Amino acid sequence: MKKLQVPGRARLPRWTLALAVSAPALLVGCGLGQLMSAPWIPDADNDGVVFLGDSIFALSGEIQSAIHAKAGETFRNYTTSGAELEGGVVTPSIRGQFDLAESDNPNSPIVVMDGGGNDILIPTIALADPYDCKTQWYEFGRLSQSCREYINDIYVDVADMLNDMSASGVTDVVYLGYYHTKGGLLGADDLDEAVDYGDQILAKACSNAVVDCAFVDPRPVITNADIKSDGVHPTTSGSNKIAGLIWSELGPRL
């Protein structure tokens, strides 16, 4: 398969938080993201699989635990709450997680990951929605051009990362998309249009990648009852549903 080539474009500036926000999804600082995350697993029963991503995975760790139960073995884990794809306030970013995983052990050909959600969520909630990614009920089907362009930049980051993973020896990626958030403690409502466009872009990056990349779409199965009161993170039921979707793609690859 021909390696994906992404066109150069003027990049929009990455936002950083200027103030602390007391919410799990917006964990500010180099250490808090890890403190609010399930423990990392640098050495597992099966080191051939590594998990990378944000608080959808990391906050409770229940998705990984459910997958470990299905597999009968553990996999490596570097997921960190609050992580953006590249840069951001919380470290390591998802790119940084991959670099750490490679430094610890470069022999993990299978990556299970998500990424891109905090790149939209953090500026939307903490910085008054600078890309206009929220849509009110009367704006149905009219996601702003500025938000589309910003998400298109996220596509470039994901495509570059998947290409770099391939160059490092990764052969398979299972990429978890995002579900619709709900009104809750984080104020992450009115983002359905942005999530839909974001999942479309993530699926495109996955399908165009040189690695064997399976995009997992959780929107058809996750309901409001599967989301915590913060409006963003999965409950135990939501985590179990997501684990089942991931396992359907991961299991045959083991």
Side-chain angles (χ1 to χ4, degrees):
M1 182 183 298
K2 185 178 179 180
K3 184 175 181 179
L4 172 66
Q5 300 294 322
V6 295
R9 56 174 290 127
R11 306 304 301 278
L12 292 173
R14 287 293 183 192
W15 290 83
T16 56
L17 291 178
L19 67 163
V21 179
S22 59
L26 308 178
L27 298 164
V28 179
C30 296
L32 288 179
Q34 293 178 42
L35 288 174
M36 294 295 292
S37 302
W40 284 357
I41 306 176
D43 185 22
D45 298 331
N46 183 346
D47 286 342
V49 180
V50 61
F51 280 72
L52 313 172
D54 57 34
S55 58
I56 299 299
F57 283 117
L59 190 62
S60 69
E62 288 184 330
I63 296 173
Q64 295 97 308
S65 294
I67 291 173
H68 293 163
K70 293 177 183 295
E73 59 183 356
T74 60
F75 305 119
R76 300 172 72 204
N77 174 55
Y78 291 83
T79 60
T80 303
S81 293
E84 298 176 52
L85 283 167
E86 298 190 23
V89 175
V90 173
T91 58
S93 65
I94 294 168
R95 166 78 71 167
Q97 293 168 30
F98 179 67
D99 292 341
L100 280 170
E102 286 289 284
S103 176
D104 287 344
N105 183 344
N107 299 309
S108 293
I110 301 175
V111 170
V112 181
M113 66 179 292
D114 71 349
N118 281 327
D119 298 66
I120 298 171
L121 188 66
I122 289 176
T124 298
I125 295 173
L127 296 170
D129 196 14
Y131 300 105
D132 192 19
C133 284
K134 286 195 172 189
T135 53
Q136 307 300 321
W137 64 269
Y138 54 84
E139 298 176 299
F140 179 77
R142 292 187 290 170
L143 183 65
S144 72
Q145 186 60 31
S146 60
C147 187
R148 289 177 182 272
E149 290 175 355
Y150 181 56
I151 293 173
N152 289 343
D153 278 346
I154 293 174
Y155 168 88
V156 177
D157 287 340
V158 173
D160 285 345
M161 191 178 303
L162 292 175
N163 285 339
D164 290 345
M165 286 179 176
S166 175
S168 296
V170 173
T171 59
D172 295 80
V173 173
V174 179
Y175 203 116
L176 175 66
Y178 292 91
Y179 47 82
H180 292 158
T181 56
K182 68 178 184 181
L185 298 176
L186 299 184
D189 51 351
D190 299 323
L191 286 170
D192 288 2
E193 299 276 345
V195 169
D196 290 344
Y197 186 68
D199 277 350
Q200 175 185 332
I201 289 300
L202 292 175
K204 179 181 178 182
C206 197
S207 66
N208 286 339
V210 66
V211 295
D212 183 353
C213 183
F215 181 75
V216 174
D217 185 355
R219 288 173 296 173
V221 302
I222 299 298
T223 68
N224 282 350
D226 298 315
I227 303 173
K228 292 182 177 181
S229 60
D230 61 23
V232 173
H233 299 98
T235 62
T236 297
S237 65
S239 294
N240 287 335
K241 287 180 178 180
I242 291 170
L245 294 175
I246 291 172
W247 180 247
S248 68
E249 296 291 347
L250 176 60
R253 288 173 162 80
L254 297 178

